[in-house]
Structures are given as C-alpha cells and as structure tokens.
Amino acid sequence: MPEIRAVSRRLLLGGALATTGALAAGAGSSAVAAAAPGAAPAPGRRPGQTSMIDVPYPVHRTVRVGVIGLGNRGSGMTTGWSVVPGCAVTAVCDIRADRAGRTADRLAAAGKPRPATYGGSADSYADMLRRDDIDLVYIATPWEFHYEQGRAALLAGKHVTVELPIATGLDELWDLVNTSERTRRHLMLAENCSYGRNELAMLKMAHEGLFGDITNGHGGYLHDLRALLFSDTYYTDAWRRLWHTRSTASFYAMHGLAPIAAAMDVNRGDRMATLTATATEPKGLADYRARFVPRHHPSWNETYVNGDLVTCLIETARGRIIRAEHDVSSPRPYSRINTLAGSRGIFEDYAGVVSAGGGRIYVEPDHSGHTWRDFGSYRKEFDHWLWKKIGDDAANNGGHGGMDYVLQWRTVQLMRAGLVPDIDVYDSAAWCAPVPLSVMSLAAKGRPVEVPDFTRGAWVNLRPGLDSRTSEMPPVA
C-alpha cells in the first residue's frame, strides 16, 4: 500500500466546522427535514440543566458495579465486569432471586468478593439502588424495563450502562437525556459492536480519509433467532418473541447502525435528520412455528405483526445515507453487516464469514481492476489501540469475539481515569431512536419522519468519540 494517504476527511471537516459553522441547525437537508412529519421539536432545558457533552467521569479508584438482570446476557456480562482491573461487582439483582444467588456464588467460587443479592419482586432493583457502594449500574433486563430502570439509576446518583435499546419511545429517550443532564450522571448504550475489532478499524480508516468523502453506509442485525425465540428457557417468559406480537418496530438495528454512525461522525459533525422505514410481511415466525413447534405450545395463541425484514433508510444533515436493517425471523447464517462507502472506496464486513480479517475492501489508488481485496492487511494497519492493548485479554474474557470485554474494560478505564465517555447519552438516544421512528414511518405508509436532535444543536461541533487516543488503565493499588 502506498504511504501517502488522501487528506483526512476528519481534518478537513474540522477546519470547515471551526471556521464557518455552515452545518448549523441542519443545513444541507433542511428541505427534507422540514417536510418530515413525526418528531416534536427539542424540549427546552430546565433552569440550571446543561449538556453532558465533553463532561468527564469523576475519578473512581475502583469502579463498583451493580447489575440488574441476570438472564443469559446479564449473567455472562457480570463475569466480564468482575475480571476488569479495578472493577468489582458489589451487588446483583434479578426478579428471580435464585439467579442472583447463583451469580453471587459463582463469583465467590472464582475468588471474587461475593456481591450482595437482591430479588424476588419487580421492585427489588430499587432496593439495590439505595446502596452507596455502587458507582455504575449495568442493566440487562428485557427491553420494556430499560427506561424505568435506567432513569431510576440516574436519579439514585449512579452512572448507567444499558443493553440495547436504552428505551423504546421518543418521550422516554428525551427523558433519559434530560435526566442525565439534570443528575450530571452518564448513561451509555452497551453497544458492544461499536467496540468490535473490524468496526473500530473501519472507523479509523474513515477518519484517516481512506474512503474519500463518505457518502453511504449499510449496517444491520441479521441473525436467525427463530429457535431461541421459541425456546421455553432462553428468553425468560418469551419476552423477546412477544415483542413481535405487539410492535412493528426495527427493534435491534443498533448493532449495525452505531458503527456506521460513528464512522460518519454522527453527533460529532453530522446528525441523523430523517428516517424512512419499510417492512416485509411477518411470515418467518409463523412458518417456523407451523413446522417445528407442537400445537400445545402457548405460541399458537400469538399473532405476529413485526415484519421479517425492517429497513430504515436514514439521511443525515450532510446528505449521507445509512441503511439500517433488522431481521431475526428468516433462515440465514449470522451476518451482521458493516458497509461503508465513499468517493474513493468501499469496505464490506460480514460478521461470521471465515476469512482473514472477516471483510473485503476496495480503495483507490491501492486497488484497481474491479476486484475485491482481503481486509486483513488493512485491519493490521488500522487496528485500534484498544485491541492492540487488550486484544488477548478480550479473547480470553469476553463474548462475541472479545468485543464485550473491550466495552467493559474501556468503560472502567474511562471511569477510573476520569475521561470523557466514548459513547454518551446523546449517541445512545440517537442510535435507539429508529425503534419508535420506524413505527411512525411505517404507520405513515413509509413517509420520512424527522429524527430528533438530542444534542440540541451541539452536533455541529467535531469532537472525539470511539476514535480515542491511547491511554492507560490506572494501576490497581
């Protein structure tokens, strides 16, 4: 590969924004945004309420974590928190008290301090939040509880990390933004794919100008979950399958959307302006049930309304296009997609594909002849410092190829070093906004709806995010 790269788009964009402010208030797509129905204007701040942008965490010598929700996801991530240097799980909670007990016993058996346990009722988490030895609350309950529990944790004076999505309604998303600003506590979406090795390398390549001027991206969560959705044990009380009976939303596109949005500097020089949704007919779950599920199973009383493939077409203020997809109801190999394209090239990454680096690339002037090239050498060159530093630990301690542990390690490091979050409440709200917005657009027969500006205009300012500089984990005393 040649040593001379294209001039970094990030540098050019930073200069333009700093000197002209030409993108203020959504210039560049104002006509589209003005015509889009749906989202209400940004609510005003209360007196004394200020932004959480660029606000660092207070320094914590040890990050003490309380966990709410100990199903498959919460249980595994609790182990991850417990092995990060300078982190301790001090309390765990689940509506099923036996889960809390088993999790505490497992940590104790691994030589960790045994956390306090809470459970037995839907309000047990509120008792846990009264503790004064919790700095960070990690929430891994079913989606319908995320908003209530996340808000309660902020009001209890805790920082919060919430599994996808942080909330499912626009009013809830705004309330979490406002509550974070009023309490001066951070709330972060636990978007592990944003910390994936390929995703972070893609981010670095984009910000170094490798793809030229970015024009479009495609991300999605395309994962056949049919067997798990009909399992009687995997999703407690079938909570995830039941969402398919009551909402048309794009539930979980954040895994693909977030890395693309980060590479496009969404909320950091650009913003999502409008969203248009389409959906196929809901055929997959009913077909799977007819072929594989006994007639006495309770799912036979259900009617599925969520389309098999829900696609959100998002236009940004700078005229870029993001296609974010969600499909868990169709027969297909796991293939979470990350595609980023610009005036000088394209990268396509299909998670689950066995090849060196897992993706394919074509960029000029490195390549010619209309032939895809392997991503391996580029990933090595643009490997993010987090993976260089803790890649081996991530492979040993984290799920999903290690990205879970990278997210946890980085969160603890940010809190212990007193740094600004990579993913803030504004990113979290924007990335989750397609959940309610897709419902609105589908109800309007695919008309575009406006995406709220959760930053209240601050998106025009270029600032760091996941493209962080190298820093150290403070030593553990």
Side-chain angles (χ1 to χ4, degrees):
M1 292 179 286
E3 294 182 0
I4 300 176
R5 298 285 184 200
V7 176
S8 169
R9 179 190 61 75
R10 170 169 275 275
L11 294 178
L12 292 175
L13 177 59
L17 289 172
T19 58
T20 69
L23 298 178
S29 64
S30 57
V32 175
R45 290 187 169 104
R46 293 182 184 178
Q49 179 182 331
T50 58
S51 173
M52 289 296 286
I53 288 176
D54 291 334
V55 174
Y57 284 106
V59 174
H60 295 76
R61 178 179 297 178
T62 299
V63 175
R64 301 165 298 179
V65 176
V67 178
I68 306 174
L70 297 166
N72 291 292
R73 181 64 175 163
S75 177
M77 289 290 281
T78 299
T79 300
W81 292 114
S82 74
V83 297
V84 177
C87 184
V89 178
T90 54
V92 293
C93 176
D94 194 280
I95 191 171
R96 289 163 172 78
D98 60 315
R99 287 181 173 176
R102 289 196 301 271
T103 300
D105 290 344
R106 188 178 71 249
L107 293 182
K112 306 296 182 182
R114 191 180 194 278
T117 59
Y118 294 81
S121 76
D123 298 326
S124 295
Y125 75 91
D127 295 331
M128 189 190 81
L129 293 179
R130 296 188 183 98
R131 298 181 66 93
D132 60 6
D133 61 351
I134 295 175
D135 306 305
L136 175 69
V137 174
Y138 167 71
I139 298 171
T141 51
W143 302 334
E144 53 263 42
F145 305 116
H146 288 184
Y147 161 68
E148 174 188 332
Q149 294 167 346
R151 183 176 187 274
L154 290 172
L155 291 173
K158 322 299 186 187
H159 301 287
V160 191
T161 297
V162 189
E163 283 295 335
L164 290 62
I166 62 170
T168 60
L170 283 183
D171 57 340
E172 296 173 342
L173 293 171
W174 269 117
D175 192 38
L176 290 176
V177 168
N178 289 328
T179 304
S180 173
E181 291 183 345
R182 289 195 297 269
T183 61
R184 314 310 295 163
R185 296 295 182 268
H186 287 294
L187 183 143
M188 164 191 167
L189 179 71
E191 181 38 79
N192 57 344
C193 292
S194 292
Y195 285 96
R197 194 163 204 158
N198 285 7
E199 287 86 346
L200 285 174
M202 177 184 73
L203 175 80
K204 287 191 63 180
M205 289 189 292
H207 287 174
E208 288 297 320
L210 199 70
F211 305 113
D213 192 14
I214 301 298
T215 59
N216 69 95
H218 172 202
Y221 186 69
L222 307 170
H223 188 184
D224 181 1
L225 294 180
R226 294 172 302 164
L228 296 179
L229 289 172
F230 285 100
S231 167
D232 290 330
T233 58
Y234 194 81
Y235 293 113
T236 304
D237 298 328
W239 69 263
R240 190 161 181 169
R241 187 181 73 240
L242 291 177
W243 271 93
H244 289 257
T245 71
R246 58 183 182 235
S247 177
T248 59
S250 177
F251 296 132
Y252 215 68
M254 296 80 83
H255 276 333
L257 170 61
I260 300 300
M264 289 184 177
D265 285 320
V266 166
N267 287 346
R268 290 165 166 77
D270 200 355
R271 79 173 186 91
M272 300 190 298
T274 62
L275 179 148
T276 302
T278 62
T280 65
E281 291 294 316
K283 302 291 187 181
L285 295 187
D287 178 75
Y288 184 91
R289 180 180 61 187
R291 290 186 290 147
F292 300 111
V293 179
R295 293 290 303 190
H296 64 268
H297 194 268
S299 65
W300 279 95
N301 297 318
E302 300 167 355
T303 299
Y304 305 111
V305 300
N306 191 262
D308 291 347
L309 174 65
V310 182
T311 301
C312 295
L313 204 64
I314 301 166
E315 184 174 0
T316 75
R318 299 190 70 225
R320 297 165 172 143
I321 298 295
I322 305 172
R323 187 167 93 249
E325 296 182 321
H326 176 266
D327 184 351
V328 298
S329 306
S330 303
R332 61 177 301 146
Y334 179 62
S335 51
R336 189 183 74 252
I337 292 174
N338 303 298
T339 297
L340 194 67
S343 58
R344 297 190 182 182
I346 183 171
F347 167 63
E348 290 187 345
D349 179 28
Y350 297 88
V353 175
V354 180
S355 66
R360 60 185 187 177
I361 190 170
Y362 185 89
V363 292
E364 296 174 341
D366 293 10
H367 305 142
S368 60
H370 307 282
T371 302
W372 288 105
R373 308 302 169 93
D374 188 80
F375 176 57
S377 62
Y378 287 87
R379 191 175 81 171
K380 183 177 181 180
E381 179 180 355
F382 292 95
D383 205 13
H384 195 279
W385 70 267
L386 279 168
W387 279 93
K388 291 179 180 179
K389 179 179 288 289
I390 61 169
D392 290 341
D393 286 344
N396 293 329
N397 293 311
H400 296 97
M403 65 176 68
D404 292 348
Y405 183 77
V406 175
L407 178 149
Q408 293 175 299
W409 188 96
R410 177 61 171 166
T411 302
V412 171
Q413 185 218 16
L414 290 167
M415 294 182 67
R416 296 189 65 222
L419 301 175
V420 174
D422 296 339
I423 299 170
D424 58 30
V425 69
Y426 311 101
D427 302 318
S428 304
W431 297 346
C432 295
V435 179
L437 293 177
S438 58
V439 175
M440 296 164 58
S441 179
L442 289 171
K445 300 186 183 302
R447 291 180 63 196
V449 296
E450 186 177 353
V451 181
D453 173 18
F454 295 102
T455 72
R456 294 177 169 98
W459 64 269
V460 299
N461 301 312
L462 196 69
R463 57 192 174 92
L466 287 153
D467 54 344
S468 55
R469 294 181 178 179
T470 303
S471 55
E472 300 296 327
M473 175 73 82
V476 178

